[in-house]
Short mmCIF file of all heavy atoms in Angstrom, two decimals:
data_model
loop_
_atom_site.label_atom_id
_atom_site.label_comp_id
_atom_site.label_asym_id
_atom_site.label_seq_id
_atom_site.Cartn_x
_atom_site.Cartn_y
_atom_site.Cartn_z
N HIS A 53 -29.40 -10.96 -0.42
CA HIS A 53 -30.30 -11.75 -1.27
C HIS A 53 -31.75 -11.45 -0.86
O HIS A 53 -32.05 -11.39 0.33
CB HIS A 53 -30.04 -13.24 -1.10
CG HIS A 53 -28.60 -13.60 -1.31
ND1 HIS A 53 -28.13 -14.15 -2.49
CD2 HIS A 53 -27.50 -13.45 -0.51
CE1 HIS A 53 -26.81 -14.32 -2.40
NE2 HIS A 53 -26.40 -13.92 -1.22
N GLY A 54 -32.63 -11.34 -1.85
CA GLY A 54 -34.02 -11.01 -1.56
C GLY A 54 -34.88 -12.29 -1.51
O GLY A 54 -34.73 -13.20 -2.32
N PHE A 55 -35.76 -12.32 -0.52
CA PHE A 55 -36.73 -13.44 -0.32
C PHE A 55 -38.11 -12.86 -0.03
O PHE A 55 -38.20 -11.76 0.55
CB PHE A 55 -36.31 -14.35 0.83
CG PHE A 55 -35.01 -15.04 0.61
CD1 PHE A 55 -33.80 -14.43 0.99
CD2 PHE A 55 -34.93 -16.31 0.05
CE1 PHE A 55 -32.59 -15.06 0.83
CE2 PHE A 55 -33.73 -16.97 -0.13
CZ PHE A 55 -32.55 -16.34 0.24
N VAL A 56 -39.15 -13.64 -0.35
CA VAL A 56 -40.50 -13.12 -0.15
C VAL A 56 -41.26 -13.91 0.94
O VAL A 56 -41.16 -15.13 0.99
CB VAL A 56 -41.32 -13.23 -1.49
CG1 VAL A 56 -42.79 -13.01 -1.27
CG2 VAL A 56 -40.79 -12.23 -2.45
N ALA A 57 -41.92 -13.18 1.85
CA ALA A 57 -42.86 -13.77 2.80
C ALA A 57 -43.79 -12.67 3.28
O ALA A 57 -43.48 -11.51 3.23
CB ALA A 57 -42.10 -14.38 4.00
N ASP A 58 -44.99 -13.09 3.69
CA ASP A 58 -45.95 -12.18 4.30
C ASP A 58 -46.02 -12.59 5.77
O ASP A 58 -46.46 -13.73 6.06
CB ASP A 58 -47.32 -12.31 3.62
CG ASP A 58 -48.31 -11.31 4.23
OD1 ASP A 58 -48.11 -10.81 5.34
OD2 ASP A 58 -49.39 -11.11 3.57
N VAL A 59 -45.66 -11.73 6.70
CA VAL A 59 -45.64 -12.14 8.10
C VAL A 59 -47.01 -12.48 8.63
O VAL A 59 -47.10 -13.10 9.70
CB VAL A 59 -44.95 -11.07 9.02
CG1 VAL A 59 -43.54 -10.83 8.57
CG2 VAL A 59 -45.74 -9.79 9.10
N ARG A 60 -48.06 -12.07 7.91
CA ARG A 60 -49.41 -12.43 8.39
C ARG A 60 -49.79 -13.85 7.97
O ARG A 60 -50.87 -14.32 8.28
CB ARG A 60 -50.41 -11.39 7.91
CG ARG A 60 -50.19 -10.06 8.57
CD ARG A 60 -51.21 -9.06 8.18
NE ARG A 60 -52.56 -9.49 8.52
CZ ARG A 60 -53.65 -8.77 8.28
NH1 ARG A 60 -53.56 -7.58 7.69
NH2 ARG A 60 -54.86 -9.21 8.61
N ASP A 61 -48.87 -14.53 7.25
CA ASP A 61 -49.10 -15.91 6.83
C ASP A 61 -47.95 -16.76 7.40
O ASP A 61 -46.86 -16.82 6.82
CB ASP A 61 -49.13 -15.94 5.30
CG ASP A 61 -49.15 -17.35 4.75
OD1 ASP A 61 -49.27 -18.32 5.56
OD2 ASP A 61 -49.04 -17.49 3.52
N PRO A 62 -48.13 -17.36 8.61
CA PRO A 62 -47.04 -18.08 9.25
C PRO A 62 -46.40 -19.13 8.35
O PRO A 62 -45.16 -19.30 8.39
CB PRO A 62 -47.69 -18.72 10.48
CG PRO A 62 -48.94 -17.97 10.73
CD PRO A 62 -49.37 -17.41 9.41
N ALA A 63 -47.21 -19.79 7.51
CA ALA A 63 -46.62 -20.83 6.64
C ALA A 63 -45.62 -20.22 5.67
O ALA A 63 -44.59 -20.83 5.34
CB ALA A 63 -47.71 -21.57 5.88
N SER A 64 -45.88 -19.01 5.22
CA SER A 64 -44.95 -18.37 4.28
C SER A 64 -43.65 -18.02 4.99
O SER A 64 -42.58 -18.09 4.39
CB SER A 64 -45.57 -17.18 3.55
OG SER A 64 -45.52 -16.01 4.35
N ILE A 65 -43.73 -17.64 6.26
CA ILE A 65 -42.48 -17.35 7.04
C ILE A 65 -41.67 -18.61 7.17
O ILE A 65 -40.45 -18.64 6.94
CB ILE A 65 -42.82 -16.83 8.43
CG1 ILE A 65 -43.58 -15.49 8.32
CG2 ILE A 65 -41.54 -16.63 9.26
CD1 ILE A 65 -43.85 -14.85 9.68
N THR A 66 -42.34 -19.70 7.55
CA THR A 66 -41.64 -20.97 7.77
C THR A 66 -40.93 -21.39 6.47
O THR A 66 -39.76 -21.76 6.47
CB THR A 66 -42.65 -22.04 8.20
OG1 THR A 66 -43.29 -21.55 9.39
CG2 THR A 66 -42.01 -23.37 8.45
N ARG A 67 -41.68 -21.36 5.34
CA ARG A 67 -41.13 -21.78 4.05
C ARG A 67 -39.94 -20.95 3.64
O ARG A 67 -38.91 -21.44 3.24
CB ARG A 67 -42.22 -21.59 2.95
CG ARG A 67 -42.92 -22.84 2.53
CD ARG A 67 -43.69 -22.66 1.24
NE ARG A 67 -44.34 -21.38 1.04
CZ ARG A 67 -45.57 -21.07 1.46
NH1 ARG A 67 -46.29 -21.95 2.11
NH2 ARG A 67 -46.10 -19.91 1.20
N THR A 68 -40.09 -19.62 3.84
CA THR A 68 -39.02 -18.73 3.37
C THR A 68 -37.79 -18.87 4.26
O THR A 68 -36.65 -18.87 3.72
CB THR A 68 -39.54 -17.27 3.38
OG1 THR A 68 -40.62 -17.21 2.42
CG2 THR A 68 -38.47 -16.30 3.01
N LEU A 69 -37.93 -18.99 5.57
CA LEU A 69 -36.75 -19.14 6.40
C LEU A 69 -36.03 -20.45 6.14
O LEU A 69 -34.82 -20.54 6.23
CB LEU A 69 -37.14 -18.98 7.89
CG LEU A 69 -37.55 -17.57 8.31
CD1 LEU A 69 -38.06 -17.54 9.73
CD2 LEU A 69 -36.35 -16.58 8.17
N GLU A 70 -36.80 -21.47 5.78
CA GLU A 70 -36.21 -22.75 5.39
C GLU A 70 -35.36 -22.57 4.14
O GLU A 70 -34.24 -23.03 4.02
CB GLU A 70 -37.35 -23.75 5.13
CG GLU A 70 -36.89 -25.17 5.03
CD GLU A 70 -38.10 -26.10 4.90
OE1 GLU A 70 -39.24 -25.65 4.60
OE2 GLU A 70 -37.89 -27.32 5.09
N GLN A 71 -35.96 -21.82 3.18
CA GLN A 71 -35.26 -21.55 1.91
C GLN A 71 -33.98 -20.72 2.14
O GLN A 71 -32.93 -20.99 1.53
CB GLN A 71 -36.24 -20.75 1.03
CG GLN A 71 -35.91 -20.69 -0.42
CD GLN A 71 -36.81 -19.63 -1.12
OE1 GLN A 71 -37.82 -19.18 -0.56
NE2 GLN A 71 -36.42 -19.25 -2.32
N VAL A 72 -34.07 -19.74 3.07
CA VAL A 72 -32.88 -18.94 3.41
C VAL A 72 -31.78 -19.84 3.95
O VAL A 72 -30.62 -19.77 3.50
CB VAL A 72 -33.23 -17.84 4.44
CG1 VAL A 72 -31.97 -17.14 4.96
CG2 VAL A 72 -34.18 -16.80 3.88
N ALA A 73 -32.12 -20.71 4.89
CA ALA A 73 -31.10 -21.58 5.48
C ALA A 73 -30.51 -22.55 4.45
O ALA A 73 -29.31 -22.81 4.45
CB ALA A 73 -31.69 -22.34 6.67
N GLU A 74 -31.38 -23.06 3.56
CA GLU A 74 -30.87 -23.95 2.49
C GLU A 74 -29.89 -23.22 1.57
O GLU A 74 -28.91 -23.79 1.12
CB GLU A 74 -32.02 -24.49 1.66
CG GLU A 74 -32.70 -25.71 2.26
CD GLU A 74 -34.05 -26.03 1.61
OE1 GLU A 74 -34.35 -25.45 0.53
OE2 GLU A 74 -34.77 -26.85 2.19
N THR A 75 -30.19 -21.95 1.31
CA THR A 75 -29.40 -21.18 0.32
C THR A 75 -28.13 -20.62 0.98
O THR A 75 -27.06 -20.62 0.37
CB THR A 75 -30.23 -20.00 -0.24
OG1 THR A 75 -31.51 -20.48 -0.58
CG2 THR A 75 -29.59 -19.42 -1.48
N LEU A 76 -28.30 -20.08 2.21
CA LEU A 76 -27.20 -19.30 2.81
C LEU A 76 -26.60 -19.92 4.04
O LEU A 76 -25.66 -19.39 4.63
CB LEU A 76 -27.71 -17.87 3.16
CG LEU A 76 -28.38 -17.09 1.99
CD1 LEU A 76 -28.92 -15.78 2.51
CD2 LEU A 76 -27.38 -16.84 0.88
N GLY A 77 -27.16 -21.03 4.51
CA GLY A 77 -26.65 -21.64 5.73
C GLY A 77 -27.46 -21.22 6.94
O GLY A 77 -28.38 -20.38 6.83
N PRO A 78 -27.17 -21.79 8.14
CA PRO A 78 -27.97 -21.52 9.32
C PRO A 78 -28.03 -20.02 9.63
O PRO A 78 -27.04 -19.32 9.46
CB PRO A 78 -27.26 -22.26 10.44
CG PRO A 78 -26.31 -23.19 9.80
CD PRO A 78 -26.04 -22.70 8.41
#
Side-chain angles (χ1 to χ4, degrees):
H53 306 260
F55 297 87
V56 168
D58 181 345
V59 301
R60 293 184 59 181
D61 172 6
S64 81
I65 298 185
T66 302
R67 258 195 323 272
T68 297
L69 289 173
E70 193 175 15
Q71 196 192 345
V72 170
E74 275 167 11
T75 316
L76 306 175

